[in-house]
């Protein structure tokens, strides 16, 4: 279980590095979206391993609401033509 969680954490560092390197706002938003998705999947995997479904509900909420908020921000930036 620890190897799976550590590998998921290392994979989570890839979009963080990508967001740090690029100055383009769309590339950063794409990287942040990827971080949000990977973090929620990691929370879901931990909740399944620990058999704690309340943590799984939090992961599902982050997966749905977090990405919806990011899409709303993308549409606002698109209207501002940044």
């Amino acid at each position: 279980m620890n190897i799976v969680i550590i590998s998921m954490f290392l994979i989570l560092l890839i979009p963080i590095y990508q967001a740090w390197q690029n100055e383009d706002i769309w590339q950063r938003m794409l990287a942040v979206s990827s971080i949000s998705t990977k973090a929620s999947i990691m929370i879901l995997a931990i909740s399944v391993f620990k058999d704690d479904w309340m943590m799984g509900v939090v992961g599902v909420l982050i997966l749905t609401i977090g990405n919806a908020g990011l899409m709303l921000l993308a549409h606002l930036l698109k209207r501002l033509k940044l």
Side-chain angles (χ1 to χ4, degrees), residues 39-78:
S40 63
I41 295 296
M42 202 160 79
I43 290 171
L44 285 173
I46 291 171
S47 72
V48 169
F49 287 142
K50 290 192 167 216
D51 198 25
D52 185 8
W53 292 106
M54 292 301 288
M55 227 162 79
V57 169
V58 171
V60 168
L61 285 176
I62 290 173
L63 187 63
T64 56
I65 297 172
N67 286 337
L70 194 66
M71 291 300 291
L72 182 65
L73 180 64
H75 282 290
L76 286 174
L77 288 175
K78 188 176 181 180

mmCIF file of all heavy atoms in Angstrom, residues 39-78:
data_model
loop_
_atom_site.group_PDB
_atom_site.id
_atom_site.type_symbol
_atom_site.label_atom_id
_atom_site.label_comp_id
_atom_site.label_asym_id
_atom_site.label_seq_id
_atom_site.Cartn_x
_atom_site.Cartn_y
_atom_site.Cartn_z
ATOM 1 N N ALA A 39 -4.927 14.461 -6.930
ATOM 2 C CA ALA A 39 -5.078 14.475 -5.473
ATOM 3 C C ALA A 39 -6.375 13.801 -5.051
ATOM 4 O O ALA A 39 -6.398 13.043 -4.067
ATOM 5 C CB ALA A 39 -5.035 15.905 -4.960
ATOM 6 N N SER A 40 -7.456 14.041 -5.783
ATOM 7 C CA SER A 40 -8.721 13.410 -5.414
ATOM 8 C C SER A 40 -8.678 11.908 -5.652
ATOM 9 O O SER A 40 -9.235 11.135 -4.861
ATOM 10 C CB SER A 40 -9.875 14.050 -6.172
ATOM 11 O OG SER A 40 -9.724 13.848 -7.543
ATOM 12 N N ILE A 41 -8.012 11.472 -6.711
ATOM 13 C CA ILE A 41 -7.865 10.033 -6.945
ATOM 14 C C ILE A 41 -7.018 9.412 -5.838
ATOM 15 O O ILE A 41 -7.294 8.305 -5.366
ATOM 16 C CB ILE A 41 -7.244 9.774 -8.333
ATOM 17 C CG1 ILE A 41 -8.185 10.245 -9.439
ATOM 18 C CG2 ILE A 41 -6.885 8.305 -8.526
ATOM 19 C CD1 ILE A 41 -9.494 9.507 -9.522
ATOM 20 N N MET A 42 -5.994 10.137 -5.387
ATOM 21 C CA MET A 42 -5.160 9.639 -4.294
ATOM 22 C C MET A 42 -5.980 9.531 -3.003
ATOM 23 O O MET A 42 -5.853 8.544 -2.262
ATOM 24 C CB MET A 42 -3.969 10.574 -4.100
ATOM 25 C CG MET A 42 -2.804 9.951 -3.408
ATOM 26 S SD MET A 42 -1.274 10.836 -3.692
ATOM 27 C CE MET A 42 -1.417 12.176 -2.573
ATOM 28 N N ILE A 43 -6.840 10.504 -2.738
ATOM 29 C CA ILE A 43 -7.703 10.449 -1.554
ATOM 30 C C ILE A 43 -8.659 9.270 -1.650
ATOM 31 O O ILE A 43 -8.893 8.552 -0.668
ATOM 32 C CB ILE A 43 -8.464 11.775 -1.395
ATOM 33 C CG1 ILE A 43 -7.502 12.879 -0.982
ATOM 34 C CG2 ILE A 43 -9.588 11.649 -0.377
ATOM 35 C CD1 ILE A 43 -8.112 14.257 -0.999
ATOM 36 N N LEU A 44 -9.199 9.040 -2.855
ATOM 37 C CA LEU A 44 -10.097 7.898 -3.032
ATOM 38 C C LEU A 44 -9.370 6.569 -2.805
ATOM 39 O O LEU A 44 -9.912 5.652 -2.179
ATOM 40 C CB LEU A 44 -10.723 7.928 -4.424
ATOM 41 C CG LEU A 44 -11.816 8.954 -4.641
ATOM 42 C CD1 LEU A 44 -12.231 8.985 -6.100
ATOM 43 C CD2 LEU A 44 -13.006 8.643 -3.775
ATOM 44 N N ALA A 45 -8.140 6.459 -3.303
ATOM 45 C CA ALA A 45 -7.379 5.217 -3.109
ATOM 46 C C ALA A 45 -7.069 4.994 -1.631
ATOM 47 O O ALA A 45 -7.199 3.865 -1.128
ATOM 48 C CB ALA A 45 -6.079 5.285 -3.919
ATOM 49 N N ILE A 46 -6.704 6.056 -0.918
ATOM 50 C CA ILE A 46 -6.419 5.915 0.513
ATOM 51 C C ILE A 46 -7.677 5.527 1.275
ATOM 52 O O ILE A 46 -7.636 4.696 2.188
ATOM 53 C CB ILE A 46 -5.804 7.222 1.058
ATOM 54 C CG1 ILE A 46 -4.404 7.429 0.487
ATOM 55 C CG2 ILE A 46 -5.753 7.211 2.581
ATOM 56 C CD1 ILE A 46 -3.807 8.781 0.794
ATOM 57 N N SER A 47 -8.821 6.097 0.873
ATOM 58 C CA SER A 47 -10.063 5.758 1.570
ATOM 59 C C SER A 47 -10.455 4.304 1.351
ATOM 60 O O SER A 47 -10.989 3.659 2.253
ATOM 61 C CB SER A 47 -11.189 6.685 1.130
ATOM 62 O OG SER A 47 -11.597 6.387 -0.182
ATOM 63 N N VAL A 48 -10.172 3.783 0.159
ATOM 64 C CA VAL A 48 -10.468 2.373 -0.097
ATOM 65 C C VAL A 48 -9.523 1.490 0.707
ATOM 66 O O VAL A 48 -9.951 0.486 1.300
ATOM 67 C CB VAL A 48 -10.378 2.071 -1.608
ATOM 68 C CG1 VAL A 48 -10.407 0.570 -1.873
ATOM 69 C CG2 VAL A 48 -11.518 2.756 -2.347
ATOM 70 N N PHE A 49 -8.231 1.838 0.765
ATOM 71 C CA PHE A 49 -7.270 1.030 1.516
ATOM 72 C C PHE A 49 -7.594 1.031 3.006
ATOM 73 O O PHE A 49 -7.451 0.022 3.682
ATOM 74 C CB PHE A 49 -5.852 1.538 1.309
ATOM 75 C CG PHE A 49 -5.302 1.220 -0.053
ATOM 76 C CD1 PHE A 49 -4.506 2.136 -0.714
ATOM 77 C CD2 PHE A 49 -5.584 0.024 -0.680
ATOM 78 C CE1 PHE A 49 -3.994 1.860 -1.966
ATOM 79 C CE2 PHE A 49 -5.086 -0.263 -1.935
ATOM 80 C CZ PHE A 49 -4.287 0.660 -2.579
ATOM 81 N N LYS A 50 -8.045 2.175 3.534
ATOM 82 C CA LYS A 50 -8.334 2.272 4.970
ATOM 83 C C LYS A 50 -9.781 1.939 5.299
ATOM 84 O O LYS A 50 -10.153 1.928 6.468
ATOM 85 C CB LYS A 50 -8.024 3.683 5.473
ATOM 86 C CG LYS A 50 -6.562 3.981 5.496
ATOM 87 C CD LYS A 50 -6.297 5.242 6.271
ATOM 88 C CE LYS A 50 -4.828 5.343 6.548
ATOM 89 N NZ LYS A 50 -4.562 5.907 7.832
ATOM 90 N N ASP A 51 -10.606 1.692 4.266
ATOM 91 C CA ASP A 51 -12.029 1.388 4.429
ATOM 92 C C ASP A 51 -12.755 2.506 5.188
ATOM 93 O O ASP A 51 -13.558 2.268 6.082
ATOM 94 C CB ASP A 51 -12.225 0.047 5.136
ATOM 95 C CG ASP A 51 -13.630 -0.487 4.923
ATOM 96 O OD1 ASP A 51 -14.252 -0.114 3.916
ATOM 97 O OD2 ASP A 51 -14.097 -1.259 5.781
ATOM 98 N N ASP A 52 -12.406 3.730 4.830
ATOM 99 C CA ASP A 52 -13.011 4.918 5.430
ATOM 100 C C ASP A 52 -13.774 5.669 4.341
ATOM 101 O O ASP A 52 -13.193 6.377 3.521
ATOM 102 C CB ASP A 52 -11.924 5.814 6.035
ATOM 103 C CG ASP A 52 -12.496 7.013 6.773
ATOM 104 O OD1 ASP A 52 -13.728 7.071 6.947
ATOM 105 O OD2 ASP A 52 -11.700 7.876 7.191
ATOM 106 N N TRP A 53 -15.078 5.501 4.310
ATOM 107 C CA TRP A 53 -15.868 6.056 3.217
ATOM 108 C C TRP A 53 -16.141 7.546 3.375
ATOM 109 O O TRP A 53 -16.495 8.210 2.402
ATOM 110 C CB TRP A 53 -17.165 5.279 3.065
ATOM 111 C CG TRP A 53 -16.856 3.903 2.594
ATOM 112 C CD1 TRP A 53 -16.903 2.757 3.313
ATOM 113 C CD2 TRP A 53 -16.355 3.522 1.301
ATOM 114 N NE1 TRP A 53 -16.484 1.691 2.554
ATOM 115 C CE2 TRP A 53 -16.150 2.144 1.318
ATOM 116 C CE3 TRP A 53 -16.054 4.238 0.142
ATOM 117 C CZ2 TRP A 53 -15.663 1.450 0.211
ATOM 118 C CZ3 TRP A 53 -15.576 3.548 -0.951
ATOM 119 C CH2 TRP A 53 -15.391 2.172 -0.906
ATOM 120 N N MET A 54 -15.976 8.077 4.571
ATOM 121 C CA MET A 54 -16.134 9.527 4.725
ATOM 122 C C MET A 54 -15.011 10.265 3.991
ATOM 123 O O MET A 54 -15.223 11.304 3.388
ATOM 124 C CB MET A 54 -16.135 9.926 6.204
ATOM 125 C CG MET A 54 -17.348 9.431 6.962
ATOM 126 S SD MET A 54 -18.877 10.035 6.267
ATOM 127 C CE MET A 54 -18.808 11.732 6.758
ATOM 128 N N MET A 55 -13.799 9.695 4.038
ATOM 129 C CA MET A 55 -12.695 10.275 3.286
ATOM 130 C C MET A 55 -12.951 10.140 1.789
ATOM 131 O O MET A 55 -12.595 11.026 1.002
ATOM 132 C CB MET A 55 -11.394 9.558 3.665
ATOM 133 C CG MET A 55 -10.254 10.476 3.949
ATOM 134 S SD MET A 55 -8.972 9.653 4.860
ATOM 135 C CE MET A 55 -8.167 8.749 3.611
ATOM 136 N N GLY A 56 -13.592 9.071 1.388
ATOM 137 C CA GLY A 56 -13.933 8.879 -0.017
ATOM 138 C C GLY A 56 -14.930 9.911 -0.503
ATOM 139 O O GLY A 56 -14.849 10.386 -1.634
ATOM 140 N N VAL A 57 -15.867 10.279 0.371
ATOM 141 C CA VAL A 57 -16.833 11.321 0.005
ATOM 142 C C VAL A 57 -16.123 12.648 -0.207
ATOM 143 O O VAL A 57 -16.434 13.394 -1.146
ATOM 144 C CB VAL A 57 -17.927 11.428 1.098
ATOM 145 C CG1 VAL A 57 -18.785 12.648 0.899
ATOM 146 C CG2 VAL A 57 -18.780 10.173 1.094
ATOM 147 N N VAL A 58 -15.138 12.936 0.632
ATOM 148 C CA VAL A 58 -14.356 14.172 0.457
ATOM 149 C C VAL A 58 -13.605 14.141 -0.873
ATOM 150 O O VAL A 58 -13.549 15.138 -1.595
ATOM 151 C CB VAL A 58 -13.383 14.358 1.644
ATOM 152 C CG1 VAL A 58 -12.412 15.490 1.387
ATOM 153 C CG2 VAL A 58 -14.165 14.598 2.917
ATOM 154 N N GLY A 59 -13.049 12.993 -1.236
ATOM 155 C CA GLY A 59 -12.356 12.866 -2.516
ATOM 156 C C GLY A 59 -13.284 13.078 -3.690
ATOM 157 O O GLY A 59 -12.929 13.739 -4.667
ATOM 158 N N VAL A 60 -14.491 12.553 -3.603
ATOM 159 C CA VAL A 60 -15.468 12.740 -4.682
ATOM 160 C C VAL A 60 -15.878 14.205 -4.772
ATOM 161 O O VAL A 60 -16.008 14.751 -5.875
ATOM 162 C CB VAL A 60 -16.687 11.821 -4.458
ATOM 163 C CG1 VAL A 60 -17.833 12.198 -5.370
ATOM 164 C CG2 VAL A 60 -16.298 10.379 -4.671
ATOM 165 N N LEU A 61 -16.064 14.863 -3.628
ATOM 166 C CA LEU A 61 -16.425 16.280 -3.645
ATOM 167 C C LEU A 61 -15.311 17.125 -4.260
ATOM 168 O O LEU A 61 -15.579 18.046 -5.042
ATOM 169 C CB LEU A 61 -16.741 16.773 -2.231
ATOM 170 C CG LEU A 61 -18.084 16.324 -1.676
ATOM 171 C CD1 LEU A 61 -18.227 16.785 -0.239
ATOM 172 C CD2 LEU A 61 -19.209 16.863 -2.518
ATOM 173 N N ILE A 62 -14.060 16.826 -3.921
ATOM 174 C CA ILE A 62 -12.938 17.571 -4.520
ATOM 175 C C ILE A 62 -12.892 17.320 -6.015
ATOM 176 O O ILE A 62 -12.682 18.243 -6.809
ATOM 177 C CB ILE A 62 -11.612 17.166 -3.850
ATOM 178 C CG1 ILE A 62 -11.561 17.690 -2.427
ATOM 179 C CG2 ILE A 62 -10.424 17.685 -4.645
ATOM 180 C CD1 ILE A 62 -10.380 17.191 -1.645
ATOM 181 N N LEU A 63 -13.146 16.086 -6.415
ATOM 182 C CA LEU A 63 -13.104 15.747 -7.840
ATOM 183 C C LEU A 63 -14.181 16.492 -8.620
ATOM 184 O O LEU A 63 -13.930 16.999 -9.708
ATOM 185 C CB LEU A 63 -13.264 14.237 -8.017
ATOM 186 C CG LEU A 63 -13.080 13.677 -9.411
ATOM 187 C CD1 LEU A 63 -11.673 13.918 -9.896
ATOM 188 C CD2 LEU A 63 -13.395 12.206 -9.424
ATOM 189 N N THR A 64 -15.376 16.609 -8.067
ATOM 190 C CA THR A 64 -16.469 17.239 -8.815
ATOM 191 C C THR A 64 -16.459 18.755 -8.668
ATOM 192 O O THR A 64 -16.489 19.472 -9.657
ATOM 193 C CB THR A 64 -17.825 16.694 -8.351
ATOM 194 O OG1 THR A 64 -17.957 16.881 -6.950
ATOM 195 C CG2 THR A 64 -17.959 15.234 -8.687
ATOM 196 N N ILE A 65 -16.407 19.253 -7.462
ATOM 197 C CA ILE A 65 -16.519 20.700 -7.244
ATOM 198 C C ILE A 65 -15.224 21.414 -7.615
ATOM 199 O O ILE A 65 -15.257 22.505 -8.182
ATOM 200 C CB ILE A 65 -16.913 20.995 -5.789
ATOM 201 C CG1 ILE A 65 -18.291 20.412 -5.514
ATOM 202 C CG2 ILE A 65 -16.910 22.476 -5.510
ATOM 203 C CD1 ILE A 65 -18.703 20.468 -4.086
ATOM 204 N N GLY A 66 -14.077 20.811 -7.344
ATOM 205 C CA GLY A 66 -12.805 21.444 -7.661
ATOM 206 C C GLY A 66 -12.637 21.667 -9.144
ATOM 207 O O GLY A 66 -12.255 22.749 -9.584
ATOM 208 N N ASN A 67 -12.949 20.679 -9.948
ATOM 209 C CA ASN A 67 -12.818 20.839 -11.388
ATOM 210 C C ASN A 67 -13.894 21.754 -11.940
ATOM 211 O O ASN A 67 -13.646 22.470 -12.908
ATOM 212 C CB ASN A 67 -12.857 19.491 -12.081
ATOM 213 C CG ASN A 67 -11.573 18.728 -11.874
ATOM 214 O OD1 ASN A 67 -10.544 19.335 -11.602
ATOM 215 N ND2 ASN A 67 -11.638 17.428 -11.990
ATOM 216 N N ALA A 68 -15.079 21.775 -11.343
ATOM 217 C CA ALA A 68 -16.125 22.687 -11.804
ATOM 218 C C ALA A 68 -15.717 24.133 -11.549
ATOM 219 O O ALA A 68 -15.943 25.006 -12.397
ATOM 220 C CB ALA A 68 -17.444 22.371 -11.105
ATOM 221 N N GLY A 69 -15.113 24.399 -10.402
ATOM 222 C CA GLY A 69 -14.635 25.749 -10.111
ATOM 223 C C GLY A 69 -13.538 26.172 -11.066
ATOM 224 O O GLY A 69 -13.481 27.319 -11.502
ATOM 225 N N LEU A 70 -12.681 25.245 -11.439
ATOM 226 C CA LEU A 70 -11.614 25.557 -12.377
ATOM 227 C C LEU A 70 -12.175 25.834 -13.773
ATOM 228 O O LEU A 70 -11.701 26.730 -14.477
ATOM 229 C CB LEU A 70 -10.612 24.415 -12.419
ATOM 230 C CG LEU A 70 -9.303 24.747 -13.102
ATOM 231 C CD1 LEU A 70 -8.560 25.797 -12.298
ATOM 232 C CD2 LEU A 70 -8.480 23.524 -13.280
ATOM 233 N N MET A 71 -13.198 25.113 -14.167
ATOM 234 C CA MET A 71 -13.826 25.370 -15.468
ATOM 235 C C MET A 71 -14.492 26.738 -15.472
ATOM 236 O O MET A 71 -14.453 27.453 -16.479
ATOM 237 C CB MET A 71 -14.850 24.282 -15.791
ATOM 238 C CG MET A 71 -14.237 22.946 -16.074
ATOM 239 S SD MET A 71 -13.109 22.981 -17.465
ATOM 240 C CE MET A 71 -14.228 23.252 -18.785
ATOM 241 N N LEU A 72 -15.111 27.114 -14.350
ATOM 242 C CA LEU A 72 -15.722 28.443 -14.250
ATOM 243 C C LEU A 72 -14.649 29.526 -14.362
ATOM 244 O O LEU A 72 -14.841 30.523 -15.071
ATOM 245 C CB LEU A 72 -16.468 28.563 -12.917
ATOM 246 C CG LEU A 72 -17.209 29.862 -12.675
ATOM 247 C CD1 LEU A 72 -18.332 30.009 -13.678
ATOM 248 C CD2 LEU A 72 -17.754 29.884 -11.267
ATOM 249 N N LEU A 73 -13.509 29.323 -13.718
ATOM 250 C CA LEU A 73 -12.411 30.279 -13.824
ATOM 251 C C LEU A 73 -11.887 30.362 -15.255
ATOM 252 O O LEU A 73 -11.572 31.445 -15.751
ATOM 253 C CB LEU A 73 -11.288 29.882 -12.864
ATOM 254 C CG LEU A 73 -10.071 30.782 -12.845
ATOM 255 C CD1 LEU A 73 -10.439 32.173 -12.346
ATOM 256 C CD2 LEU A 73 -8.990 30.184 -11.989
ATOM 257 N N ALA A 74 -11.841 29.242 -15.947
ATOM 258 C CA ALA A 74 -11.383 29.239 -17.334
ATOM 259 C C ALA A 74 -12.320 30.046 -18.223
ATOM 260 O O ALA A 74 -11.877 30.802 -19.088
ATOM 261 C CB ALA A 74 -11.274 27.808 -17.847
ATOM 262 N N HIS A 75 -13.621 29.924 -18.001
ATOM 263 C CA HIS A 75 -14.572 30.700 -18.802
ATOM 264 C C HIS A 75 -14.467 32.188 -18.483
ATOM 265 O O HIS A 75 -14.589 33.023 -19.382
ATOM 266 C CB HIS A 75 -15.999 30.205 -18.575
ATOM 267 C CG HIS A 75 -16.285 28.948 -19.315
ATOM 268 N ND1 HIS A 75 -16.387 28.908 -20.674
ATOM 269 C CD2 HIS A 75 -16.463 27.688 -18.894
ATOM 270 C CE1 HIS A 75 -16.624 27.672 -21.069
ATOM 271 N NE2 HIS A 75 -16.681 26.904 -19.995
ATOM 272 N N LEU A 76 -14.240 32.539 -17.216
ATOM 273 C CA LEU A 76 -14.065 33.953 -16.872
ATOM 274 C C LEU A 76 -12.808 34.520 -17.535
ATOM 275 O O LEU A 76 -12.823 35.633 -18.067
ATOM 276 C CB LEU A 76 -13.971 34.116 -15.352
ATOM 277 C CG LEU A 76 -15.279 33.959 -14.592
ATOM 278 C CD1 LEU A 76 -15.003 34.001 -13.094
ATOM 279 C CD2 LEU A 76 -16.234 35.056 -14.982
ATOM 280 N N LEU A 77 -11.713 33.760 -17.537
ATOM 281 C CA LEU A 77 -10.485 34.226 -18.191
ATOM 282 C C LEU A 77 -10.656 34.320 -19.701
ATOM 283 O O LEU A 77 -10.088 35.203 -20.343
ATOM 284 C CB LEU A 77 -9.328 33.299 -17.837
ATOM 285 C CG LEU A 77 -8.826 33.408 -16.408
ATOM 286 C CD1 LEU A 77 -7.761 32.356 -16.155
ATOM 287 C CD2 LEU A 77 -8.282 34.792 -16.141
ATOM 288 N N LYS A 78 -11.452 33.432 -20.256
ATOM 289 C CA LYS A 78 -11.701 33.465 -21.697
ATOM 290 C C LYS A 78 -12.466 34.726 -22.073
ATOM 291 O O LYS A 78 -12.196 35.344 -23.091
ATOM 292 C CB LYS A 78 -12.473 32.218 -22.104
ATOM 293 C CG LYS A 78 -12.614 32.049 -23.586
ATOM 294 C CD LYS A 78 -13.304 30.738 -23.886
ATOM 295 C CE LYS A 78 -13.448 30.534 -25.368
ATOM 296 N NZ LYS A 78 -14.116 29.267 -25.654
#
